[in-house]
Amino acid sequence: MRPATTIGLAGIAVLAAAGLVVMTLSATSGSLSPHASAPTVPSIVPAPLELELRDDPPFVLTDATGIAADDPSLEPVVAAYAEAVAERTGIALPTGGDEPRIRFALDTALAPEEHRIEVGATGISVEAGDAAGAFWAVQSLLQLPAPGADGEVPAVAIHDAPRFAYRSAMLDVARHFFSVDDVERYLDRLASLKINVLHLHLTDDQGWRIAIDAHPELTEIGGRYAVDSDPGGFYTKDDYRRIVAAAADRFITVVPEIDMPGHTNAALASLAELNPDGTVAKPYTGIEVGFSTLDTRSEVTYAFVENVLTELAELTPGPYLHIGGDESHATSADDYEYFVTRAARIAAGTGKTVIGWHQIGQSSALPAGSIGQYWGYVEPSEADLAEARSIVEQGGRLIVSPADVAYLDMKYDFLTPRGLTWANGFTSIEDAYAWDPATVLPGIGEDDILGVEAPLWTETFRTVDEVEEMAMPRLAAMAEVAWTAQSARDYDDFVPRLIRLAARWDAQGVRYLRPAGIPWP
């Protein structure tokens, strides 16, 4: 028996015995060594449930390596893996053949998204509970080779499944507009980290970004503007369908948000009838919040809400509609509760499950199964906690995205060139990693949590390059919070895996910030 060997940080141990090498996650904690480096063994972000390194030669991909799906639902997954391999190596994996060396199959004993990967010198086998699980297995396979050696897949056995079914990132396209191609690029980053929801914040005070046939003025006028008078823009219905289709190709669900009754100045500047005095509001290109509100006692308002949500629901195959509800400071408490109750009922009437920021818990008559998105701090105020609890007590669940750890637009440190600091100052990579969604809200347990989200607000971001650079690498930390079991997470183990992943980002041209304290490649 060969002795166990420690590689890198305390969080990675390689134990060799009887020809089997097992990588385990350490339960130890402590400060990061200044000499930390990328592991010399294969690693994955987010960390899987089990990863065994086998003392066998790697599987070498060649143009003669056949690849096949044992079920038609897996054929797009096989195609996605073959395309990614070709992009990275130039190797064209032929599909089918008499004896394919790479096989994807369904296993009804596995849960949705759960999967197993076996890699040996003679081939690769992937078994999954569904096509999504097989697609997430592909993301792991693409991370396994050492950077620069993508044609050699190390011999491993992996068993994996997510902690939360809802693993989301939000992109604010209202403060600054981002094209369909920009959104597709962001979808690629999400998929690579097994994030399966894209929340699109489509409307705000500065801009309205989705075409609504019943009210073309919303984009003709509200679509013109952005923060700092930068160029605006909007998505036609075909544009939006293209985003939804691109997301579906990556097993990502699109959740559209129409924020109301506050954050509505773009709508008020577009439609005179939404204003009590019948005069359109002045367009707004600043970054203050809380000054706008719909007229919550006007039937014209609810006809507008129904038109917008009905058309958006028809465009959206996913099960959710997000109705916003945050920072409605210009709406009285009674008017806010009245509006949320009616707007949520309209949204539910489209057949969708209602999502709103956790302030919707001020309503005591939410539709069954409504979802609240908690965006307070990791140490919640009494008011925030009460609103979150109200949603759960009404039979709903929560998406957890505390602003001081989950918001990707918060600065990493004082050297970060863009971003804001209102959420308790800076948010380091360790801050984004070292929290447990199930312990943020006292009295609300893991069963009450649908999932986790990492929002990115774009007041200070004009281009997708800036968005990507800011999101990465904290998005990787958030992905692990959402995917990996709490008992298997350790920051000292995460850092060397992040460094190794960053080397892959460098090879792929992915932009990311390099905050101090980590020896980036």
Side-chain angles (χ1 to χ4, degrees):
M1 178 180 294
R2 289 170 290 176
T5 304
T6 300
I7 296 179
L9 299 176
I12 296 183
V14 179
L15 308 177
L20 180 68
V21 183
V22 182
M23 186 173 79
T24 62
L25 298 177
S26 169
T28 63
S29 62
S31 61
L32 177 65
S33 165
H35 305 295
S37 60
T40 57
V41 295
S43 66
I44 295 170
V45 176
L49 288 175
E50 301 173 68
L51 190 159
E52 296 180 353
L53 303 176
R54 293 179 165 170
D55 195 16
D56 292 326
F59 179 64
V60 179
L61 302 173
T62 72
D63 289 327
T65 303
I67 182 171
D70 290 354
D71 186 275
S73 69
L74 300 180
E75 290 175 359
V77 177
V78 165
Y81 182 55
E83 181 180 354
V85 168
E87 289 176 353
R88 289 162 170 76
T89 67
I91 296 170
L93 300 176
T95 57
D98 295 333
E99 295 184 6
R101 306 279 294 278
I102 305 173
R103 300 199 71 97
F104 285 74
L106 293 179
D107 184 344
T108 57
L110 299 177
E113 300 192 285
E114 186 178 8
H115 54 271
R116 295 183 182 276
I117 303 171
E118 300 274 347
V119 182
T122 60
I124 298 173
S125 170
V126 173
E127 295 180 343
D130 59 4
F135 186 74
W136 305 137
V138 165
Q139 308 315 310
S140 293
L141 285 170
L142 294 173
Q143 285 191 36
L144 284 172
D150 288 294
E152 297 185 1
V153 186
V156 297
I158 295 171
H159 173 220
D160 206 2
R163 179 183 182 184
F164 294 109
Y166 190 105
R167 306 175 303 279
S168 179
M170 188 210 79
L171 181 61
D172 168 17
V173 298
R175 270 55 177 271
H176 280 103
F177 179 69
F178 297 89
S179 70
V180 174
D181 288 343
D182 291 341
V183 176
E184 288 189 14
R185 175 170 156 185
Y186 203 54
L187 285 167
D188 283 337
R189 304 298 170 252
L190 305 188
S192 71
L193 295 166
K194 304 185 176 74
I195 293 171
N196 67 346
V197 176
L198 173 65
H199 168 187
L200 279 179
H201 184 77
L202 289 168
T203 67
D204 215 294
D205 290 316
Q206 297 82 357
W208 185 284
R209 306 303 183 200
I210 182 67
I212 300 296
D213 292 340
H215 302 287
E217 303 93 334
L218 290 169
T219 48
E220 291 172 0
I221 299 171
R224 295 178 188 172
Y225 302 97
V227 166
D228 291 337
S229 299
D230 287 335
F234 67 92
Y235 304 120
T236 66
K237 287 190 170 181
D238 282 344
D239 289 336
Y240 183 80
R241 292 186 185 100
R242 181 179 156 196
I243 290 171
V244 168
D249 288 344
R250 297 158 176 82
F251 294 87
I252 293 173
T253 298
V254 173
V255 174
E257 180 191 353
I258 304 296
D259 203 353
M260 27 183 202
H263 289 278
T264 47
N265 194 78
L268 297 171
S270 302
L271 298 171
E273 62 268 29
L274 294 181
N275 297 270
D277 62 0
T279 304
V280 292
K282 182 180 178 180
Y284 183 70
T285 60
I287 64 171
E288 297 302 317
V289 300
F291 61 88
S292 61
T293 183
L294 295 173
D295 184 350
T296 65
R297 302 291 175 167
S298 168
E299 290 305 311
V300 172
T301 293
Y302 296 102
F304 163 77
V305 170
E306 184 163 10
N307 289 338
V308 170
L309 294 184
T310 298
E311 290 192 33
L312 192 55
E314 290 171 351
L315 286 171
T316 304
Y320 304 107
L321 277 183
H322 201 306
I323 62 170
D326 61 322
E327 296 176 320
S328 295
H329 306 318
T331 315
S332 72
D334 287 345
D335 285 350
Y336 179 83
E337 181 178 356
Y338 179 79
F339 176 86
V340 166
T341 300
R342 286 195 63 175
R345 190 181 306 135
I346 292 169
T350 68
K352 304 296 187 182
T353 297
V354 178
I355 300 177
W357 300 104
H358 71 263
Q359 283 81 10
I360 66 169
Q362 294 175 34
S363 169
S364 59
L366 295 172
S370 294
I371 307 299
Q373 182 168 355
Y374 175 77
W375 65 279
Y377 294 158
V378 287
E379 295 184 3
S381 69
E382 290 185 7
D384 287 342
L385 180 57
E387 289 159 356
R389 284 176 171 169
S390 169
I391 295 164
V392 172
E393 289 165 357
Q394 293 182 63
R397 300 176 76 190
L398 297 174
I399 299 162
V400 185
S401 50
D404 51 345
V405 293
Y407 275 29
L408 299 178
D409 53 299
M410 294 297 107
K411 291 189 174 188
Y412 289 77
D413 53 37
F414 72 95
L415 294 174
T416 307
R418 283 168 289 274
L420 301 172
T421 58
W422 60 261
N424 280 341
F426 303 125
T427 301
S428 68
I429 295 173
E430 185 170 9
D431 292 333
Y433 186 90
W435 65 285
D436 181 358
T439 63
V440 170
L441 298 164
I444 294 174
E446 186 147 345
D447 291 344
D448 300 318
I449 297 172
L450 177 64
V452 174
E453 180 171 292
L456 194 151
W457 304 97
T458 60
E459 290 97 330
T460 63
F461 303 95
R462 289 181 165 91
T463 69
V464 70
D465 281 351
E466 293 173 353
V467 165
E468 181 176 281
E469 183 178 70
M470 188 68 170
M472 318 298 268
R474 275 188 314 217
L475 188 61
M478 285 294 297
E480 188 146 313
V481 170
W483 179 277
T484 304
Q486 185 67 24
S487 60
R489 292 203 299 116
D490 178 80
Y491 183 68
D492 282 353
D493 174 80
F494 171 72
V495 169
R497 288 184 290 109
L498 177 63
I499 295 169
R500 191 174 191 269
L501 181 59
R504 184 166 297 285
W505 290 339
D506 288 338
Q508 294 177 263
V510 176
R511 299 175 68 94
Y512 64 97
L513 287 179
R514 296 165 172 81
I518 291 177
W520 298 104

